[in-house]
Amino acid sequence: MIAFISDIHANLAALEAVFADIDGLGSVDGIYCLGDVVGYGPQPLPCLDLVTRRCKLILMGNHEHALINGAFGFHTGAKRAIDWTREQIDAAPAPERKALWQLINNLPIRHAVDDVLLVHGSPRDPVMEYVLESDLWEGTDGGKLDEIFAGFGRLCFVGHTHRAGVFTEDRCFLPGAELEDGFIVGDGHKYLVNVGSVGQPRDRDWRACYTLYSGDAVYFRRVAYDVNATVAAIRAVPELDRRFAERLTRGE
């Protein structure tokens, strides 16, 4: 069994709860992070440290990319959070600061194991592109999803949208909340699986989300955590938009 986590967004309480849940299962052989460890939240350095220690792989998300290249296209609050995160890294002691920037600059944008592809965004644009439910009905030629499904073999795991679920090659989206018993992905068809968000779910469920993969099926796990602790920590940082705290309790 493999665990996929994504979009922690500097939410340490959620991350610790997810790792505790994984440890309690006793059957997980490895943890892979699909990016966006930082951004929005109040504890970027502890989250980077914990993910580095616990995960076999960390991919580059658009928020790590923004740390390096600038938060172009980000709304004002998200950009301020990136600028503040960069300041936290630069204020760390020299050895830690060097290690953090070395880590972030060298994050891969994709990872493939046989016919399974891991990216943050999409096969077409591994860091930036969103694969959304609206892509199923917007437009008439289906070009975007055709290209996305042509970009991987049997399975692709992504994050980025903070909305857990499965896209099928016959153009359906199955929300993770409706797949309580898991979903078979070993039947020869292609699937794109969004693993959900640990630190900032956007599917009206405030609980942290991650995904287990057995080789034949995926299972979406929801984990309660001390969301009020993260809310308070965000509000304690003037540079972080208070809306980032408020949305956590609503799962949006």
Side-chain angles (χ1 to χ4, degrees):
M1 192 80 74
I2 295 172
F4 292 112
I5 65 173
S6 190
D7 298 276
I8 295 98
H9 286 298
N11 186 338
L12 184 62
L15 181 62
E16 290 177 334
V18 162
F19 281 141
D21 190 70
I22 291 171
D23 293 341
L25 295 172
S27 58
V28 175
D29 300 317
I31 307 171
Y32 293 77
C33 177
L34 304 188
D36 275 6
V37 180
V38 302
Y40 299 129
Q43 296 124 342
L45 271 58
C47 286
L48 282 166
D49 175 66
L50 189 53
V51 170
T52 301
R53 289 190 284 112
R54 293 297 309 269
C55 293
K56 288 189 173 183
L57 172 78
I58 309 171
L59 294 180
M60 181 172 290
N62 59 306
H63 284 253
E64 285 84 27
H65 185 273
L67 279 176
I68 302 165
N69 299 288
F72 301 107
F74 281 46
H75 62 75
T76 302
K79 182 181 183 302
R80 286 180 63 196
I82 287 295
D83 293 340
W84 176 80
T85 299
R86 191 181 297 109
E87 291 170 2
Q88 301 311 296
I89 296 173
D90 287 339
E96 181 182 358
R97 179 173 67 248
K98 181 179 179 180
L100 285 168
W101 282 121
Q102 202 165 45
L103 168 72
I104 294 165
N105 276 283
N106 288 287
L107 294 176
I109 65 171
R110 65 171 68 224
H111 182 76
V113 180
D114 299 324
D115 56 357
V116 178
L117 176 66
L118 311 180
V119 294
H120 179 69
S122 86
R124 294 199 313 182
D125 184 340
V127 176
M128 296 295 184
E129 184 172 49
Y130 291 92
V131 185
L132 301 163
E133 295 99 306
S134 58
D135 294 327
L136 297 170
W137 58 81
E138 288 184 352
T140 56
D141 60 359
K144 176 179 177 178
L145 285 175
D146 287 345
E147 291 183 10
I148 284 170
F149 270 83
F152 63 94
R154 182 174 63 91
L155 284 175
C156 180
F157 289 90
V158 303
H160 200 26
T161 70
H162 303 203
R163 296 173 63 83
V166 178
F167 286 89
T168 68
E169 62 182 334
D170 60 353
R171 305 302 182 264
C172 291
F173 177 74
L174 309 172
E178 298 178 7
L179 302 172
E180 293 183 3
D181 297 322
F183 183 80
I184 301 297
V185 294
D187 58 1
H189 295 289
K190 279 188 172 187
Y191 298 102
L192 184 142
V193 180
N194 191 301
V195 305
S197 171
V198 169
Q200 194 188 94
R202 294 178 183 169
D203 54 4
R204 303 292 179 177
D205 186 339
W206 63 270
R207 295 174 298 168
C209 182
Y210 74 99
T211 297
L212 296 171
Y213 171 54
S214 68
D216 295 315
V218 292
Y219 305 89
F220 298 97
R221 301 276 295 182
R222 303 305 293 236
V223 183
Y225 72 96
D226 189 351
V227 65
N228 291 323
T230 303
V231 166
I234 292 173
R235 288 174 173 168
V237 179
E239 291 85 355
L240 298 181
D241 195 317
R242 293 178 68 87
R243 289 175 294 180
F244 297 156
E246 295 160 2
R247 72 191 307 177
L248 289 182
T249 60
R250 301 193 298 265
E252 62 183 33

